[in-house]
Amino acid sequence: MADVVVVGSANVDLVLPVQRIPRPGETVLASGLTRGPGGKGANQAVASARAGASTAFVAALGADDGGALLREALAGVDLSLVQTVDAPTGTAIITVDADGENAITVAPSANARLELTPEARAAVAGAKIVLSQLEIPFGTVQAAALAAANGYFVLNAAPAAALSDELLGHVDLLVVNETEAEAVAGTKLSALLDRVPAAVVTLGADGAVILTRGADEVRVPAVRVEVVDTTAAGDTFCGVLAATLAATSTTARDLTNAVRRATVAASLSVQTAGAIPSVPHGEAIDARAA
Ligand code: ADP
Ligand code: NA
């Protein structure tokens, strides 16, 4: 049984480097085109495994070369719960500008078919930490949250969406960036605690803030780095957070330490291009943190 179970998406990323992200109606020329493995779920599963946790991935792939590319990239992750479905593997078009900012469009395809099978439900029920995002059907996220009722359910509410109390009622820890936080609870970050018992809001180059009901907020600064590509920074953060919580505990003190480690890992990931290729290994994270 894996300590961390990630229930989420897997995509082939088509990355287009541009000077400037096009405005509506505008056409721009990219300086190249690369094809690589990604998707929030896949990125987070790899980040968790590289950070040292036994990690299983519940996902849906097509029977195509995109699916094969992802299986290869997910080395080190238990893929016995990955479903092959009758749809193409999900695809993301990622436009990255000269400052490393990105704009992303996702075709969910196979990800839209992901269901929580009885085997996946059992793995979720037995995990220490269950981690999910919103690139898969809401019903599947909800089913995972319910199945994780005796464990610790971490929801990375990305991409941004308004969420029901029915789902948030099962969330132990919400992880969001500022845009996603606003979609869940408005511009006042403390309002997140009206909806979930604890939340981590990532703040890009400003690091992250931890909000816990009945406690003071804790700010964790980012590491200062040269930004190359922020793709998968949030995913690295979530995967490393889950792996570190699984190795320690979910007490306030261990949560703070896990957020520190996740922040270092995410800062390292923005120094390297791509999604999965930019996810650091535990040794690199801990060398930087020391
Ligand atoms: P997302 O990529 O999901 O929008 P953020 O931009 O908040 O999320 O980034 C997630 C984490 O990645 C941050 O908490 C931080 O640790 C790291 N990070 C992102 N951008 C930078 C940056 N410019 N410098 C250093 N760390 C960064
Ligand atoms: Na990111």
Side-chain angles (χ1 to χ4, degrees):
M1 277 271 186
D3 286 340
V4 174
V5 174
V6 177
V7 181
S9 58
N11 293 322
V12 172
D13 287 351
L14 300 177
V15 182
L16 298 160
V18 295
Q19 270 307 311
R20 199 164 45 72
I21 292 166
R23 284 189 283 269
E26 189 184 16
T27 299
V28 299
L29 298 184
S31 60
L33 168 64
T34 59
R35 183 171 177 272
K40 291 182 191 299
N43 297 341
Q44 294 183 16
V46 168
S48 171
R50 287 188 184 166
S54 65
T55 305
F57 188 31
V58 177
L61 299 173
D64 49 20
D65 60 347
L69 177 76
L70 278 150
R71 284 178 186 276
E72 191 184 335
L74 284 154
V77 176
D78 175 351
L79 300 183
S80 58
L81 298 168
V82 170
Q83 306 157 26
T84 301
V85 299
D86 184 21
T89 297
T91 301
I93 309 285
I94 305 179
T95 313
V96 184
D97 75 13
D99 299 323
E101 271 306 322
N102 61 43
I104 304 178
T105 308
V106 177
S109 306
N111 295 301
R113 309 280 183 91
L114 180 63
E115 288 174 11
L116 203 69
T117 61
E119 295 75 23
R121 200 179 304 269
V124 164
K128 288 183 180 163
I129 308 290
V130 178
L131 174 59
S132 202
Q133 327 75 30
L134 303 176
E135 285 183 337
I136 55 172
F138 261 104
T140 306
V141 177
Q142 185 103 20
L146 265 175
N150 295 322
Y152 192 81
F153 184 70
V154 181
L155 179 65
N156 172 221
L163 298 175
S164 68
D165 284 329
E166 200 188 347
L167 175 59
L168 290 177
H170 297 289
V171 171
D172 296 297
L173 177 67
L174 185 73
V175 183
V176 284
N177 67 18
E178 287 171 288
T179 311
E180 293 146 7
E182 191 170 341
V184 173
T187 50
K188 211 166 131 245
L189 293 186
S190 60
L192 288 168
L193 296 181
D194 296 338
R195 307 208 65 198
V196 289
V200 176
V201 183
T202 63
L203 307 169
D206 290 329
V209 56
I210 308 165
L211 303 153
T212 312
R213 273 184 199 156
D216 289 337
E217 65 173 51
V218 178
R219 290 202 167 249
V220 175
V223 178
R224 234 185 245 261
V225 292
E226 190 78 26
V227 177
V228 174
D229 176 9
T230 60
T231 307
D235 295 335
T236 298
F237 187 99
C238 291
V240 174
L241 179 64
T244 311
L245 291 173
T248 56
S249 83
T250 57
T251 60
R253 191 166 150 221
D254 284 339
L255 175 59
T256 300
N257 285 329
V259 169
R260 284 208 182 96
R261 190 163 182 247
T263 303
V264 171
S267 301
L268 291 176
S269 80
V270 307
Q271 293 180 282
T272 307
I276 287 176
S278 77
V279 173
H281 288 264
E283 307 84 75
I285 303 168
D286 297 326
R288 185 65 191 240

